[in-house]
């Protein structure tokens, strides 16, 4: 029977069969809302709330003693959270540290790994890269006396939304010293073939780093086995660590034991840190790349958040994520394809991250109309709508409801009631 397909009942049936459905109860989800913005700021979980309150309690209880006392003593919290993050990025325990933000971590990584020589001076990024990543590359080039106009090379996109492996390979000339690329492009949601990129780059003696902002918590990684040199990410998107949650970085063990570009006392070997000497002894692992006192309060939520990921498992989460974005695309084909949208997310699983991106000339006001009806999308100027069903707390019926509301908005042109401009935070 035709009617059983693409109905709300069908969606409810998918939810019943969903092995991860109970994780939704761990989160503060508003029942009247469909939250599809977990790729910008994930929702609060009860576990993250508890670990944050527990941390405050340890401050209350121990005062300065909290650095070494209690269940999550602050002195080693960044390291222990790094160990717990390691499975999400396919790293060894001491290859990961929780510290900084994407941008500050990127500054540290480039300051450490960009070592230009006479022949190799260029940094390769891509023209669709996130502005902050580009700013960091520009500053780091300037600090070493190079003009970014000449020494920052950006791989071109032929369709303004995706980057081809071929184009990346072609751009790896003899002059390139370092490559920084996103794992998943923040606009289109394209997942780049990290393993292939590293293989090709290393044959040319090029260091490779990735920004995992839009893949950590959505896509499994094998950073160690792929031989990635370094990676950076934030924890407030799919990892649900809250606004300003401390970020993370990965440094492959083959680079351990060297002095980072930006030294600070929290990068010290922990046994030596309080010797208070003016000569720096780096920590053995990725911890060496920390700078100052860790952002303990902003890391506390991650204790609870990572426990949820450990329970759910990244493989199962990826499977559900792909199934939900597939479902969204199917509903799109059925209900939305005649309204002038363009799907810019790759359709093949191996090239797709965790969100679906739709282009539309009226995107800004369509997003406003969606929000008015309690569907929370994400707008990226000038014309992009991003919809992220976060596998931990999004139901199939949420995906269904969101698409039906969007269909209604398009059919009745309800978006015309709103100005087609972006808000300050979009
Ligand atoms: C979210 C995001 C950032 C944000 O950087 P912060 O330093 O954490 O503010 C940077 N780059 C990309 C690709 C992002 O998606």
């Amino acid at each position: 029977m035709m009617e059983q397909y693409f109905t709300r009942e069908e969606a409810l049936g998918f939810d019943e069969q969903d092995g991860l459905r109970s994780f939704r109860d761990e989160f503060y989800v508003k029942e009247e809302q469909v939250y599809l913005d977990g790729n910008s700021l994930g929702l609060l979980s009860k576990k993250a709330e508890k670990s944050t309150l527990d941390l405050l309690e340890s401050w209350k209880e121990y005062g300065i003693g909290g650095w070494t006392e209690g269940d999550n003593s602050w002195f080693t919290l960044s390291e222990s959270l790094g160990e717990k993050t390691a499975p999400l990025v396919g790293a060894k325990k001491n290859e990961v540290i929780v510290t900084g933000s994407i941008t500050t971590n990127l500054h540290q990584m480039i300051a450490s790994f960009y070592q230009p020589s006479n022949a190799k001076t260029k940094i390769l990024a891509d023209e669709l890269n996130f502005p902050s990543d580009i700013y960091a590359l520009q500053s780091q080039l300037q600090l070493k006396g190079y003009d970014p106009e000449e020494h920052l090379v950006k791989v071109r996109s032929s369709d303004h939304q995706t980057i081809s492996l071929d184009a990346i390979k072609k751009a790896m000339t003899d002059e390139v010293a370092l490559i920084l690329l996103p794992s998943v492009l923040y606009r289109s949601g394209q997942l780049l073939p990290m393993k292939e990129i590293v293989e090709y780059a290393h044959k040319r003696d090029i260091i490779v780093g990735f920004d995992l902002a839009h893949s950590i918590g959505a896509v499994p990684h094998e950073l160690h086995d792929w031989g990635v040199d370094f990676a950076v990410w934030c924890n407030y998107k799919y990892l649900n660590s809250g606004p300003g949650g401390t970020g993370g970085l990965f440094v492959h063990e083959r680079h351990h034991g060297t002095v980072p570009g930006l030294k600070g006392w929290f990068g010290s070997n922990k046994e030596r840190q309080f010797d208070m000497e003016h000569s720096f002894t780096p920590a053995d692992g990725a911890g060496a790349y920390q700078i100052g006192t860790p952002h303990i309060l902003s890391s506390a939520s991650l204790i609870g958040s990572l426990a949820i990921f450990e329970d759910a498992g990244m493989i199962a989460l990826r499977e559900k994520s792909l199934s939900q974005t597939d479902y969204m695309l199917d509903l799109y084909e059925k209900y939305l394809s005649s309204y002038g949208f363009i799907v810019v997310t790759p359709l093949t699983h191996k090239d797709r991250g965790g969100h679906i991106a739709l282009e539309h000339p009226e995107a800004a006001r369509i997003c406003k109309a969606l929000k008015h009806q309690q569907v929370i999308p994400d707008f990226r100027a000038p014309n992009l709508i991003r919809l992220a069903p976060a596998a931990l707390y999004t139901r199939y019926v949420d995906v269904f409801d969101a698409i039906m509301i969007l269909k209604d908005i398009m059919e009745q042109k309800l978006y015309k009631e709103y100005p087609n401009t972006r808000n300050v935070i979009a």
Side-chain angles (χ1 to χ4, degrees):
M1 275 202 324
M2 279 297 286
E3 295 86 61
Q4 79 189 75
Y5 298 109
F6 304 118
T7 62
R8 198 162 195 276
E9 284 62 42
E10 183 196 41
L12 290 167
F14 293 153
D15 284 320
E16 256 173 56
Q17 290 159 28
D18 170 14
L20 296 174
R21 69 179 181 280
S22 63
F23 285 96
R24 179 178 168 87
D25 300 334
E26 303 260 6
F27 287 85
Y28 288 100
V29 193
K30 289 193 169 162
E31 280 313 317
E32 71 279 11
Q33 207 175 63
V34 177
Y35 192 81
L36 297 176
D37 210 358
N39 58 334
S40 273
L41 182 74
L43 293 178
L44 175 65
S45 66
K46 292 165 192 171
K47 284 199 165 79
E49 178 185 48
K50 180 169 187 306
S51 60
T52 304
L53 294 174
D54 287 350
L55 200 290
L56 283 172
E57 211 42 55
S58 73
W59 177 19
K60 207 188 277 178
E61 174 70 19
Y62 301 113
I64 195 161
W67 284 103
T68 50
E69 293 174 62
D71 291 341
N72 289 293
S73 60
W74 313 331
F75 193 52
T76 50
L77 183 61
S78 312
E79 284 76 11
S80 72
L81 285 173
E83 288 183 13
K84 289 177 190 159
T85 308
L88 294 179
V89 294
K92 293 191 172 179
K93 285 178 176 175
N94 72 341
E95 288 176 322
V96 179
I97 190 79
V98 165
T99 187
S101 68
I102 290 186
T103 316
T104 60
N105 289 342
L106 210 45
H107 275 291
Q108 172 66 296
M109 293 294 96
I110 305 302
S112 304
F113 291 102
Y114 173 54
Q115 289 165 354
S117 62
N118 287 344
K120 277 182 170 313
T121 57
K122 297 197 172 169
I123 295 182
L124 185 63
D126 70 276
E127 66 170 351
L128 303 178
N129 216 311
F130 196 87
S132 203
D133 299 41
I134 296 293
Y135 302 155
L137 297 177
Q138 290 168 342
S139 317
Q140 290 296 329
L141 280 163
Q142 280 164 335
L143 283 168
K144 290 216 161 81
Y146 293 104
D147 178 3
E149 287 295 322
E150 190 190 336
H151 294 271
L152 177 57
V153 181
K154 297 180 200 166
V155 183
R156 303 295 293 267
S157 161
S158 55
D159 59 2
H160 304 291
Q161 293 295 351
T162 58
I163 302 281
S164 76
L165 178 58
D166 244 19
I168 296 170
K169 285 181 173 174
K170 284 212 182 82
M172 291 189 206
T173 63
D174 292 342
E175 296 172 323
V176 174
L178 181 146
I179 300 177
L180 173 76
L181 289 169
S183 48
V184 168
L185 275 64
Y186 77 101
R187 296 175 67 89
S188 65
Q190 179 195 8
L191 172 62
L192 290 179
M194 287 178 264
K195 181 168 181 270
E196 284 82 353
I197 291 169
V198 176
E199 247 169 44
Y200 199 82
H202 282 178
K203 283 193 193 126
R204 283 152 189 79
D205 221 6
I206 303 172
I207 291 274
V208 190
F210 288 102
D211 180 334
L212 310 184
H214 284 274
S215 64
I216 190 162
V219 176
H221 309 76
E222 294 297 340
L223 296 186
H224 178 87
D225 288 350
W226 297 338
V228 173
D229 293 289
F230 69 87
V232 297
W233 56 86
C234 54
N235 287 312
Y236 49 77
K237 290 174 178 163
Y238 289 102
L239 286 186
N240 313 311
S241 75
T246 314
L249 64 82
F250 161 91
V251 173
H252 198 282
E253 71 178 352
R254 84 172 82 86
H255 299 299
H256 291 180
T258 52
V259 174
L262 306 176
K263 292 184 276 189
W265 75 319
F266 263 85
S268 299
N269 178 309
K270 286 203 143 25
E271 306 287 316
R272 305 290 303 279
Q273 181 171 342
F274 278 84
D275 289 353
M276 297 308 213
E277 287 187 5
H278 282 191
S279 64
F280 177 78
T281 309
D284 288 337
Y289 295 84
Q290 296 172 93
I291 301 177
T293 303
H295 301 164
I296 299 295
L297 290 177
S298 300
S299 306
S301 55
L302 200 55
I303 302 169
S305 218
L306 288 175
I308 299 177
F309 278 85
E310 196 184 334
D311 285 351
M314 206 47 245
I315 300 296
L317 284 167
R318 170 65 168 166
E319 208 172 289
K320 178 172 172 186
S321 164
L322 283 172
S323 152
Q324 289 196 314
T325 48
D326 275 346
Y327 180 51
M328 192 178 267
L329 289 168
D330 287 348
L331 292 172
Y332 167 87
E333 276 303 318
K334 168 96 178 151
Y335 294 114
L336 287 173
S337 54
S338 63
Y339 294 110
F341 291 100
I342 301 169
V343 178
V344 299
T345 307
L347 302 180
T348 40
H349 284 180
K350 73 170 179 47
D351 303 311
R352 192 195 307 162
H355 70 263
I356 296 296
L358 305 175
E359 257 184 20
H360 196 285
E362 312 280 358
R365 68 219 296 211
I366 292 171
C367 284
K368 288 182 181 137
L370 281 168
K371 280 188 184 171
H372 189 75
Q373 300 206 42
Q374 297 289 340
V375 175
I376 313 300
D378 180 289
F379 172 69
R380 283 292 173 262
N383 60 354
L384 200 73
I385 304 171
R386 298 187 305 186
L387 304 169
L392 279 173
Y393 50 79
T394 309
R395 296 170 302 195
Y396 288 85
V397 75
D398 295 323
V399 175
F400 180 84
D401 288 345
I403 297 297
M404 295 319 285
I405 288 170
L406 182 51
K407 172 179 179 285
D408 196 48
I409 288 167
M410 300 314 294
E411 205 169 59
Q412 302 194 47
K413 300 192 164 43
L414 298 175
Y415 56 84
K416 298 217 163 187
E417 292 168 26
Y418 307 87
N420 198 29
T421 51
R422 73 167 170 83
N423 296 333
V424 174
I425 293 189

